[in-house]
Amino acid sequence: MSTPEPDPNRRQRLVRTRRGRLIGGVCSGLGAHFGVDPILFRIAFVGLAIFSGIGIALYLALLLLVAEEGAAHAPIYLSRSSWRSVLGALAIVVAAGIVLSAIGHGAHRGAWGFGVGLGSLALVGVLAALLWQWLRTSAVTGTDGRASADRRLLRCAAFVTAVLAWMALLAAAGAWLAGIDLQLAAWAVVVLGVLLVLGAYAGWARWLVLPGVAFALAVATIAAAHVDLHGGTGERTYRPHAFGEVRGGYELGAGRLEIDLRNVAFPAGTTRLHLRLGVGEAVVLVPKNVCVATSASIGGGYVGALENRSGGLDINWSERPVPPLGTPRLLVDGSVGLGALLVADHPVEHDWRGWGGWGEGGWFASHSHRMALGTNEACLPATGVSR
Amino acid sequence: MRRPPSVTVLFTGIAVLLLGVLLVLDANGTIDLRFAYTAPVLVGAFGAVLLASGLSSRRRGRG
């Protein structure tokens, strides 16, 4: 009995190839399937990843849903009837994501938004740990009887994701504790160090290395930035209408602090305004007829005071312009741990998505340097700024 | 026979302990930690841990 000749016109099943792969064999498999150079798919995936991020999601989806060459099933193998349940579950997850995103967007500067972020991180950690456990114990193997390479890759990715998520949570716990009580957090780091040293001799402390380092680094960052989280969280706006309503000092632990002084008639002479913010954005809106001097201490972030600005770490800013005789002078004395201090003559909002560049003035300033904050026109010209 | 201590864990522990002491001194106001001093200390400690771990592996014939 002779076997039927394979139809040369029939397209082969899409598989992720073992030969010519760079990561998971997705692009080389697509290239072989469609008979084109896989470099075209690689360029497309990288382009989609850079410009919209969807390239990564698409690649991961194909990694999970397309079987590897020689393997019996894809890492996620579902029967035809199971697809409906999966699509239903996915729809619910997407809907929940949209709702959470809307809630988080509405309160992204407050404690609730912070809580949503931490909750999402914990959820990712739990899901990744469950996936890792499932991949470790379930017994889907390739035709050679061994777990396929993509399954091992996925298991490894799930493990790394779970570890990173839990390290991030521990780092957040360390940062919060250091911002509330630095003394206690510092002693906790000492205790962790002692436990690691003792555990090295006893042979049980290897698991403590990553959590210990994550916690200690977070505490060190908060200490170096002089972050003080006392004073509450959220969004606070103060809009005094008379000079008598202006407080000497304003403070907030984390969030957005806005002090709108544009309706205040300042008397001649110098008025001091102290403000302290742990993490976030502090905005002082000033009237145009006041000469504004700014003194700021920023652990890490950005300061912009009307025409002048600077960004980076350990910023000590002092700008002391001189007003003409009889013109009121406002001295803004700000202290921000991590974040931005903006002094402007019109409403502004720092675009946090612009952070991360290497623009003039430091890491965080690339976007903010293009932001117009106003002019200090009530002061005499030729005044100095020191940073 | 008693197993030798894990050099990576030991050096990490010593680095975390020293960092903790610096943080206690900062919290007490004895020193003023800033990124300018903290960053090199952390990078140096990380390098020392990796170096000790690598040398220990080579001595055991795993490098």
Side-chain angles (χ1 to χ4, degrees):
Chain A
M1 188 178 148
S2 64
T3 53
E5 286 287 317
D7 180 0
N9 294 323
R10 191 181 168 204
R11 192 170 278 171
Q12 287 187 333
R13 185 171 74 109
L14 173 64
V15 289
R16 288 182 293 109
T17 54
R18 286 174 186 264
R19 291 182 61 189
R21 63 165 49 184
L22 288 184
I23 304 173
V26 171
C27 294
S28 53
L30 283 169
H33 183 70
F34 291 105
V36 294
D37 194 327
I39 191 75
L40 296 175
F41 289 101
R42 287 181 185 131
I43 291 170
F45 274 114
V46 170
L48 285 172
I50 290 172
F51 292 112
S52 67
I54 201 164
I56 298 170
L58 201 59
Y59 191 93
L60 284 176
L62 288 170
L63 190 69
L64 295 172
L65 297 173
V66 175
E68 192 181 33
E69 186 180 6
H73 299 297
I76 294 182
Y77 173 70
L78 296 166
S79 64
R80 201 174 286 271
S81 60
S82 303
W83 273 107
R84 260 175 288 175
S85 319
V86 170
L87 285 175
L90 267 178
I92 292 169
V93 169
V94 169
I98 292 168
V99 171
L100 280 178
S101 166
I103 294 169
H105 183 72
H108 68 282
R109 300 186 192 99
W112 170 239
F114 186 63
V116 168
L118 283 185
S120 308
L121 202 60
L123 187 65
V124 167
V126 168
L127 288 177
L130 287 174
L131 179 64
W132 172 72
Q133 179 68 14
W134 178 70
L135 287 167
R136 207 166 63 93
T137 52
S138 63
V140 177
T141 55
T143 49
D144 56 359
R146 295 175 57 224
S148 58
D150 54 281
R151 204 173 169 79
R152 290 198 298 274
L153 183 71
L154 187 62
R155 198 169 64 198
C156 183
F159 179 75
V160 170
T161 306
V163 168
L164 287 179
W166 287 108
M167 277 181 69
L169 278 174
L170 267 168
W176 175 80
L177 183 60
I180 296 296
D181 190 340
L182 182 59
Q183 187 91 349
L184 186 61
W187 279 110
V189 173
V190 170
V191 170
L192 270 172
V194 171
L195 283 176
L196 278 166
V197 170
L198 294 177
Y201 285 96
W204 51 262
R206 191 167 283 273
W207 65 270
L208 194 60
V209 170
L210 286 178
V213 168
F215 186 89
L217 285 182
V219 175
T221 304
I222 294 300
H226 296 96
V227 171
D228 182 351
L229 291 177
H230 288 99
T233 61
E235 185 166 349
R236 298 221 181 127
T237 302
Y238 298 92
R239 201 163 283 137
H241 288 88
F243 182 71
E245 294 174 14
V246 178
R247 296 188 202 168
Y250 296 85
E251 66 169 28
L252 183 65
R256 187 173 195 271
L257 177 64
E258 181 175 306
I259 304 150
D260 187 350
L261 304 171
R262 288 174 299 163
N263 297 319
V264 176
F266 283 90
T270 297
T271 304
R272 286 177 181 273
L273 182 83
H274 295 278
L275 61 96
R276 184 192 60 73
L277 176 67
V279 179
E281 178 184 70
V283 178
V284 183
L285 301 178
V286 294
K288 285 181 187 290
N289 63 342
V290 171
C291 175
V292 182
T294 310
S295 167
S297 165
I298 315 277
Y302 176 75
V303 56
L306 298 169
E307 297 109 328
N308 297 309
R309 51 209 68 194
S310 179
L313 301 172
D314 296 334
I315 304 172
N316 278 310
W317 168 283
S318 182
E319 183 194 18
R320 301 292 174 100
V322 179
L325 201 63
T327 302
R329 182 174 186 248
L330 174 66
L331 173 58
V332 178
D333 182 15
S335 166
V336 177
L338 292 169
L341 168 65
L342 304 174
V343 180
D345 62 11
H346 60 275
V348 289
E349 187 159 358
H350 192 98
D351 188 349
W352 299 91
R353 291 168 301 178
W355 283 44
W358 289 91
E360 183 192 350
W363 296 355
F364 311 117
S366 62
H367 180 83
S368 308
H369 267 269
R370 297 192 292 275
M371 193 162 56
L373 298 174
T375 53
N376 215 352
E377 58 198 36
C379 304
L380 291 172
T383 51
V385 178
S386 66
R387 291 158 211 181
Chain B
M1 192 175 136
R2 191 183 168 83
R3 278 183 62 188
S6 163
V7 175
T8 309
V9 180
L10 182 62
F11 268 73
T12 307
I14 292 170
V16 170
L17 182 58
L18 290 178
L19 180 62
V21 171
L22 286 177
L23 288 168
V24 169
L25 291 176
D26 178 56
N28 285 337
T30 311
I31 60 170
D32 181 22
L33 273 187
R34 288 186 164 271
F35 281 113
Y37 331 124
T38 314
V41 167
L42 294 178
V43 174
F46 182 64
V49 169
L50 286 184
L51 189 65
S53 171
L55 289 175
S56 147
S57 297
R58 282 182 63 172
R59 195 176 302 163
R60 287 201 301 265
R62 284 199 283 137

